[in-house]
Amino acid sequence: AQSVSQHNHHVILSEAASLELGCNYSYGGTVNLFWYVQYPGQHLQLLLKYFSGDPLVKGIKGFEAEFIKSKFSFNLRKPSVQWSDTAEYFCAVIDYGGSQGNLIFGKGTKLSVKP
Amino acid sequence: DAGVIQSPRHEVTEMGQEVTLRCKPISGHNSLFWYRQTMMRGLELLIYFNNNVPIDDSGMPEDRFSAKMPNASFSTLKIQPSEPRDSAVYFCASRRAGGMNEQFFGPGTRLTVL
């Protein structure tokens, strides 16, 4: 079954620092990948998604992610973080094996940005 | 568009009581998902429905948990009897037909079982 690993549990950065959050998935077939963000006390919102085409995907709020098939990775990046980016970030993949269309989430990475 | 609506937003109850969480998906969406989020286990899928039919309930932790979707605009997640370890945030999400479509999440219900 598909699984998702997020390597960092908690990342602490200063404003203007660059961000990269790691995400790896386990299944090597066709994948659809997502990054969701959860601001404190709020629900999950979609940042960006990859289905096909250009492996470099641009999302909202200056975030981007790169799909590297050979590495089973879909890392999230932002060149310069802001205090308002403090949130928890979840990588997810659609599992077409067991339950079609079911999103499999990683454990999440908490990002704290110091002003 | 009102988004996914969940009620109540907060629920505090005593162990042994019945708890019912409610969800109204976005109109036109035909898939509905129930998730549970805890610090220890992260975000877990409990059950999901396609066209009001439960497709996969393998994530439902025990027989104490049950979910229904009597029509396209309403779903419930019931816990009976509730236990302190059920304390979590429960999210409902909905999606249009097709696995390639984004899931939209509701604001969640924060459940505390004393």
Side-chain angles (χ1 to χ4, degrees), chain B residues 4 48 58 77:
Chain B
V4 176
Y48 88 98
S58 60
L77 178 68

Side-chain angles (χ1 to χ4, degrees), chain A:
Chain A
Q2 184 66 270
S3 65
V4 177
S5 298
Q6 291 184 243
H7 315 299
N8 309 102
H9 179 64
H10 191 185
V11 172
I12 302 173
L13 296 173
S14 297
E15 275 195 313
S18 64
L19 169 73
E20 181 159 3
L21 301 182
C23 172
N24 287 90
Y25 58 93
S26 60
Y27 176 63
T30 301
V31 288
N32 302 134
L33 296 152
F34 303 76
W35 275 99
Y36 280 82
V37 60
Q38 185 178 27
Y39 296 103
Q42 296 190 27
H43 60 285
L44 278 76
Q45 303 169 49
L46 185 69
L47 266 183
L48 49 79
K49 60 186 176 184
Y50 171 80
F51 287 109
S52 63
D54 189 345
L56 186 61
V57 179
K58 295 198 182 297
I60 60 171
K61 305 187 180 186
F63 285 91
E64 64 178 31
E66 185 175 13
F67 170 55
I68 303 179
K69 190 172 182 178
S70 60
K71 295 184 178 180
F72 299 87
S73 71
F74 190 56
N75 292 356
L76 181 71
R77 299 195 293 248
K78 185 169 183 178
S80 175
V81 295
Q82 301 171 313
W83 177 79
S84 57
D85 293 324
T86 295
E88 191 159 12
Y89 293 81
F90 293 89
C91 182
V93 60
I94 287 182
D95 178 10
Y96 286 109
S99 307
Q100 188 164 8
N102 180 11
L103 272 179
I104 306 295
F105 283 91
K107 295 287 188 189
T109 298
K110 282 192 178 153
L111 172 65
S112 299
V113 180
K114 297 185 291 186

Side-chain angles (χ1 to χ4, degrees), chain B residues 60-76:
Chain B
M60 296 284 263
E62 299 172 32
D63 290 345
R64 299 184 296 106
F65 286 68
S66 62
K68 294 182 179 178
M69 192 164 186
N71 57 62
S73 59
F74 183 65
S75 176
T76 59

